[in-house]
Amino acid sequence: GVEGKEKDRMVRRLEEENQRLRREVGRKEEALGVLRISELRFRQECANLKSYAIDMARGMTSMEVQLYDVDDAIADETERLTLAYLPVIRELQEELNQVKEQLAEERRNNGKARR
């Protein structure tokens, strides 16, 4: 009688508790699965950012190398132009000196003619 009904009630409560705990374990496993997916996405994002940072650093290094190349090219071109125009500059300087001499000569001659 009474003992049998009490046992049945206890068994039912234990079965209900067991089912409730199984459902809770299922929910927690689902939450863990979501966390695992989030962790994988996060790790992938970190890997992408690291790769992007490395690419940026390589790009900046490449730009620095290019700037050095540009500086070298400017220096080379300046030297080349200086060497190319030196004869022209000397020639113009000589012409200028000749014109100055001619002017000075003309002034001297004009001074003598006025006397």
Side-chain angles (χ1 to χ4, degrees), residues 8-113:
D8 287 345
R9 254 187 275 142
M10 283 179 68
V11 167
R12 251 184 281 124
R13 272 193 226 140
L14 286 173
E15 285 174 348
E16 287 171 3
E17 182 67 12
N18 189 15
Q19 286 176 357
R20 186 187 69 74
L21 289 172
R22 284 178 191 268
R23 284 192 300 270
E24 192 169 326
V25 165
R27 281 193 297 273
K28 289 189 180 196
E29 283 178 345
E30 257 182 63
L32 276 174
V34 169
L35 283 174
R36 281 189 197 108
I37 290 170
S38 294
E39 179 191 13
L40 289 174
R41 285 185 183 146
F42 177 72
R43 286 180 187 275
Q44 185 62 47
E45 266 185 60
C46 286
N48 289 344
L49 285 172
K50 184 178 178 181
S51 174
Y52 178 72
I54 289 169
D55 288 346
M56 270 184 55
R58 282 186 186 136
M60 291 175 77
T61 301
S62 171
M63 285 186 345
E64 286 175 7
V65 167
Q66 288 173 7
L67 282 175
Y68 287 126
D69 291 346
V70 167
D71 285 345
D72 288 346
I74 289 172
D76 290 347
E77 187 64 9
T78 302
E79 186 178 344
R80 187 188 71 75
L81 288 173
T82 302
L83 292 174
Y85 284 105
L86 264 177
V88 174
I89 292 169
R90 283 190 188 125
E91 193 175 304
L92 288 172
Q93 189 66 47
E94 285 175 17
E95 284 181 31
L96 181 63
N97 289 339
Q98 286 174 2
V99 169
K100 283 181 182 178
E101 283 177 32
Q102 286 175 354
L103 279 173
E105 184 69 28
E106 285 179 23
R107 283 186 188 148
R108 281 192 296 272
N109 290 338
N110 282 340
K112 287 179 186 175

